[in-house]
Amino acid sequence: MITNALIIMVRKLVVGISAFMLMACGGAKEPAVVENVVAYTKVGDVGSPIVNAIEITVSNAKALKGLKAEDFDFTNNVADGFVDAVTGGALAPYADDGIVLTRDKNRLLIEAKPFNINGMRGRNWKSEPWQLRCNVDSNLNVTLADVKERRTQIIDDCIKGSFTYAGITREYILHLPKDEEGNVISNAPLLVWQIGGGEYNRDLMTATMANRCVVSLPEAGVPCATLMFAIANPNYSYSASLDAERIKLVDRNNALQMAFIDTLIKEGKVDGKRVFCAGASSGGGCTMRFMMQFPERFKAAIPCCAMDPIVPIHQVREKYDGQFADDLVKAFQGKVYKWNGEDMVLEDMDTKAFCDLPMFFVHAESDKTCKVISSHAYFNARQRLGAQSDKIEIYDDEYMLTFGIPTMLSHFSWVPLLNDYSEGKAMDWLVKQM
């Protein structure tokens, strides 16, 4: 005989089994309660951080159980650069996001193919923000607005500060290499980078994130210190060599940087015999002046798409074939400003030491901002003065496109410079001298 108690027990069993089946199918899972969202980023090529992963922390860990990579999808997630490196057309979102999921209690790490933190450029270059979507729990949908923390590879571990010398104060960012146990490596080689004109008079982090100058060597696994100063004055612009005050300021900034490098050497952080310099655009021109001021202090230099703080070249019509090189030959036997403890004063430059210092010039042939003729003129003038160790490479349009740089933006030759470590390239040449 079936009793009421038996019927109630059976009903409870059926309900329990149904609930279990529902949970197994994901239907009864409680929605996630998000506490924090972290974006793991790195420095990109063209001024925007690149996202490697998103980490979501929830208060209810059970809400993350059973989630799979296919439950998530990124939209408007495009690679770094301006155009597609293969087609030359507009960048399109990844067809395969490459999502890898890792769960650690109440934290969910969603790694993916690196994408621009600002999303995709749509019509008229208008930004279309990226979004992470979860088809199981909409509470796990994430946009840039939801990100509460950003952690930037290498940059977060750098030293940031300010330094005063020669009557000015400048902010700096410094990466010091570490061994496998996390200890700072003593007497490391140093690369000091000269920023481009677009970063002049900008805050330190804007200048730092403009390109991969600080992180290129560390990301390549090269145990080298890297240093960059934020230059807190207007860009010296074209034909600055005609303005003595602007040139004095360029040389003053360089004097400050050299004094700071001396402190690193005295502290045992940097090897004074392995100091290198590189820079692009205005920074390429500043690299040239830096080497003119202190040629005996550097082991090698890479001027990239260099401007003209030495003689007028850009936005100037060449009067005769070879005029620029002739002007540079004269300038390279002239004077530079140095700090005497009270002021910047003109002193004779050491032309022999300057020409003995190896340089590797790089430039894009279609550069309309800083004409490629400047690098040819620098190279030829130094050869005429006895330089025997210089190299020069001119990037063609096809090579620039492999880094997502179209012909109209060929000035961005620092992108291939800081990415390509293959045999015979400028960064390979630099590393082999460390």
Side-chain angles (χ1 to χ4, degrees), residues 235-275:
N235 184 22
Y236 57 78
S237 73
Y238 298 105
S239 299
S241 53
L242 300 177
D243 187 330
E245 288 304 311
R246 275 196 267 178
I247 292 307
K248 184 185 289 188
L249 182 56
V250 172
D251 289 355
R252 189 188 298 267
N253 284 316
N254 287 341
L256 174 141
Q257 293 180 75
M258 193 73 253
F260 183 74
I261 293 169
D262 283 336
T263 67
L264 298 178
I265 295 170
K266 290 176 182 177
E267 293 170 355
K269 294 183 175 70
V270 165
D271 182 351
K273 295 181 180 180
R274 293 185 294 163
V275 179

Side-chain angles (χ1 to χ4, degrees), residues 308-349:
D308 51 358
I310 301 163
V311 300
I313 297 177
H314 300 97
Q315 295 188 351
V316 175
R317 187 181 298 276
E318 193 172 18
K319 295 178 181 177
Y320 59 87
D321 188 30
Q323 174 205 348
F324 298 148
D326 287 348
D327 292 345
L328 286 168
V329 166
K330 182 178 179 180
F332 290 155
Q333 299 175 87
K335 296 178 181 292
V336 290
Y337 287 97
K338 290 192 176 183
W339 179 250
N340 68 356
E342 296 181 358
D343 197 4
M344 298 296 295
V345 296
L346 285 171
E347 294 184 11
D348 291 335
M349 66 172 287

Side-chain angles (χ1 to χ4, degrees), residues 2-171:
I2 300 175
T3 65
N4 288 338
L6 182 59
I7 293 173
I8 292 172
M9 184 173 67
V10 171
R11 285 177 177 174
K12 287 183 177 180
L13 181 61
V14 170
V15 170
I17 292 173
S18 298
F20 175 79
M21 294 294 291
L22 198 58
M23 289 181 66
C25 295
K29 183 186 293 184
E30 59 181 312
V33 179
V34 176
E35 292 185 329
N36 193 32
V37 178
V38 179
Y40 289 89
T41 69
K42 63 179 181 179
V43 180
D45 286 323
V46 292
S48 296
I50 303 303
V51 180
N52 290 316
I54 298 294
E55 182 184 75
I56 303 173
T57 302
V58 301
S59 60
N60 49 340
K62 290 183 179 180
L64 303 181
K65 286 187 177 180
L67 289 173
K68 306 178 293 297
E70 50 265 37
D71 295 328
F72 291 87
D73 178 49
F74 279 101
T75 60
N76 294 338
N77 54 327
V78 298
D80 198 11
F82 292 108
V83 297
D84 187 284
V86 176
T87 67
L91 288 166
Y94 292 117
D96 176 8
D97 298 331
I99 292 177
V100 176
L101 236 59
T102 305
R103 187 173 71 87
D104 180 14
K105 297 179 181 178
N106 67 329
R107 290 197 302 272
L108 187 68
L109 183 67
I110 305 161
E111 299 174 272
K113 291 179 180 177
F115 62 89
N116 190 311
I117 199 168
N118 294 318
M120 183 174 68
R121 296 182 182 91
R123 290 184 177 180
N124 299 320
W125 290 71
K126 184 178 180 180
S127 178
E128 297 182 10
W130 61 270
Q131 184 178 25
L132 173 65
R133 293 177 178 172
C134 178
N135 59 30
V136 174
D137 184 350
S138 62
N139 284 6
L140 295 175
N141 291 351
V142 173
T143 67
L144 181 58
D146 299 310
V147 174
K148 296 181 180 179
E149 296 180 47
R150 291 193 200 179
R151 299 177 187 171
T152 307
Q153 181 179 311
I154 296 176
I155 298 301
D156 287 351
D157 196 39
C158 287
I159 300 167
K160 305 168 187 72
S162 62
F163 186 72
T164 300
Y165 185 81
I168 56 175
T169 299
R170 299 288 183 253
E171 290 186 293

